[in-house]
Amino acid sequence: MNKKLAAALSGGAVLVLALSGCSSDGDSKVNAWAKKVCDQAQPQIQKRANAQQTIISTAADGKPSDIQAADSKAFQDIADADKALATAVQGAGTPPGDNGEKLQRDAVKELNDTAAAYLALKKQVDALDAKDQQKFADGLQDVADGLKKIEKMDQDALRKLQSGELGKAMAKEPGCQAAKTSSPAAGGTGSTPSAPAKPSGSASTKE
């Protein structure tokens, strides 16, 4: 059952993907701003990676109550990480360059919106009937559908930070590099959140 959520997490680590472009020796102000954000982002990237890995690696045929508990905690952790990332972007000040203020404002708003959406998914998971396996499976499909929509929100939010010199500068910072997960996923799924493909073995459960 949890493979449905794993399939929906194909782009869950969009922050790492967005910041893994070519590096650049750009303006020193741009580099300084990128360092401020990435120094604070690193633990949040790791937190997100671990939460995503929990969802992906939770046994697909496990007990509904175990899946429910794992997914609920994962959604809470991702929401907390997104809120912290929004705070990091806000706290770094206005990015240098054209439209820096709007870029910052939009990214912060969308990160906070994404966090709220993950919290809504958590409530949805918490409300599932884990004692009825069929109802639980049906409800989990609805959660997976919601997760796909949030994935797009994530991409829209962080795409704003990967444009131009800002994205190139952030790609150089260690804090914005791919996080390592604590254990490999079941079924051969990649163990880092930077894998661009959908988790292996879950394509048939996407719909």
Side-chain angles (χ1 to χ4, degrees):
M1 286 182 288
N2 223 39
K3 286 185 177 180
K4 294 182 177 67
L5 296 191
L9 275 175
S10 60
V14 65
L15 179 66
V16 176
L17 294 175
L19 304 182
S20 59
C22 299
S23 61
S24 170
D25 295 324
D27 186 273
S28 59
K29 292 181 180 179
V30 172
N31 291 334
W33 189 89
K35 179 172 174 54
K36 279 185 181 180
V37 173
C38 292
D39 283 352
Q40 297 182 63
Q42 198 281 327
Q44 308 312 323
I45 293 173
Q46 184 66 59
K47 189 173 188 176
R48 283 180 57 114
N50 291 342
Q52 291 156 1
Q53 191 68 18
T54 295
I55 293 174
I56 292 170
S57 61
T58 298
D61 57 352
K63 294 179 180 178
S65 58
D66 292 341
I67 294 174
Q68 184 178 42
D71 291 347
S72 177
K73 183 180 186 304
F75 289 146
Q76 179 69 62
D77 286 348
I78 295 173
D80 289 345
D82 273 355
K83 285 189 284 188
L85 287 170
T87 299
V89 173
Q90 183 68 51
T94 303
D98 296 337
N99 300 317
E101 185 176 346
K102 183 177 187 302
L103 183 153
Q104 180 192 39
R105 182 173 64 250
D106 290 350
V108 168
K109 179 182 183 301
E110 291 177 21
L111 279 166
N112 282 322
D113 287 348
T114 302
Y118 273 112
L119 288 177
L121 270 192
K122 177 186 182 300
K123 290 181 180 179
Q124 192 174 339
V125 167
D126 290 343
L128 295 179
D129 184 359
K131 295 180 181 179
D132 187 320
Q133 188 159 338
Q134 185 56 54
K135 286 184 179 180
F136 184 78
D138 292 343
L140 207 61
Q141 178 61 62
D142 291 338
V143 172
D145 291 342
L147 190 57
K148 292 175 189 175
K149 295 178 182 178
I150 297 177
E151 177 185 331
K152 184 179 184 303
M153 291 173 63
D154 256 340
Q155 291 171 341
D156 290 344
L158 292 160
R159 188 178 293 118
K160 290 178 171 60
L161 295 179
Q162 71 169 335
S163 59
E165 292 302 311
L166 280 179
K168 293 177 183 178
M170 293 172 81
K172 295 190 303 180
E173 293 296 327
C176 283
Q177 300 304 311
K180 299 292 185 181
T181 50
S182 57
S183 62
T189 304
S191 60
T192 67
S194 56
K198 290 176 172 54
S200 60
S202 61
S204 62
T205 61
K206 181 178 179 181
E207 297 298 329

